[in-house]
Amino acid sequence: MSVGPLCLAGWILVLFSKSLYSLILVRILHGLALGVVYTVTPIYTAEIAESRIRGRLVGMYQVIGSLGTIYSFSLGPYLEYDTFVFACLPLPIIFTIIWMFVPETPYYLLMTERVDKARKVLMYFRDGDVEEELEDMQKAVMEEMPKKKSWEILFSDKKEKKAFVIVQIVTITKFLTGIASIKSYTLEMFSRSGSCLPPEVMSILLASLLTVISFIAAFLSDWVGRKPLLLLSCFGCFVAHFLSGGYYYIHEKTAIDASNYIYILYIGLAMYCIFIEIGLGPLLQILQSEMFGTTTRGIAAGITEGLASLISLVTIKFYAPVNERYGAHVNFFFYSLVGLIGGVLLSFLMYETARKTIGQMETTPRNR
């Protein structure tokens, strides 16, 4: 419920003041809202979803996020400053009104010993009898509630520690392959590439491709499995960024006419959109919502999103200076190397979680 008012307050502040300090405060307000969204949304979705469709539902979160990117990319370059703000204002208002009618998750209600209310919520989200599922949820909660504090469980329990390491590797790989900097510098990236289309149009096309692929990936994760998609995503990003880096090297560091090879950049960026959205993009949220137990899920998600924000900040801040001093190819070759290393690590550590109850994954694969 806090997300809507935080976003609304930020946009209203922009309308009344555009000083440096006001805009910094807006970024803080919207950053807080995003922190809640990225941390809580996957947990909420996983705790209300049936295991057979959990991947699809959590994956839809990535689709809606990509639609938001298209909305911004389509309006931002063509509207006046205040007009763009007015275009964004209705969204948090609509969200807040809708969210007033959305119930709490059954897991949280069971943790706070409100069994009857948890039963009603399950009946709201399910068709048919819910007693068996409610009993399984109660057992899972009862097994974990008497344990130590969530911090202690997360870093002392062998299964939780392994899950935590895997999720952090996925986080580092996802954001160090440049997803934040590429989205933030899309216009600049196409401006310096020699593209035949306006950078604004290329940005919209890139965001649209991300949306289509993330929609397909939402269904693939439950069908194919998490591990195969993650490995394909990592190694695919490695190849895609290597191609983009190769184009920028020709364009910036040689006397060769790079316009004859612009298709290499298009192929590289298209491949990156495909591979990031079939694995690393949507699956991070899915994994952080399902690999941890009831008591550790929240704290693990908070740490994960904190790390993601830090890496995003670093990649965004370093993108432009590296471009100017060394060339864009250095950024892309670095992103490529990260994808390769992440894929190798996950091929040894990752275990399958599809179609398994959250917080109750098989013990044997975890302790391998």
Side-chain angles (χ1 to χ4, degrees), residues 51-65:
S51 58
R52 62 186 179 86
I53 61 169
R54 186 174 60 241
R56 273 170 277 174
L57 285 181
V58 180
M60 282 298 161
Y61 154 84
Q62 187 82 7
V63 176
I64 304 302

Side-chain angles (χ1 to χ4, degrees), residues 8 19 35 127 136 156 171 174-175 181 184 188 190 203 289 332:
L8 185 61
S19 69
D127 291 324
D136 289 340
S156 63
T171 302
K174 173 182 177 177
F175 289 97
S181 54
S184 298
E188 189 270 349
F190 285 119
S203 300
S289 68
F332 282 92

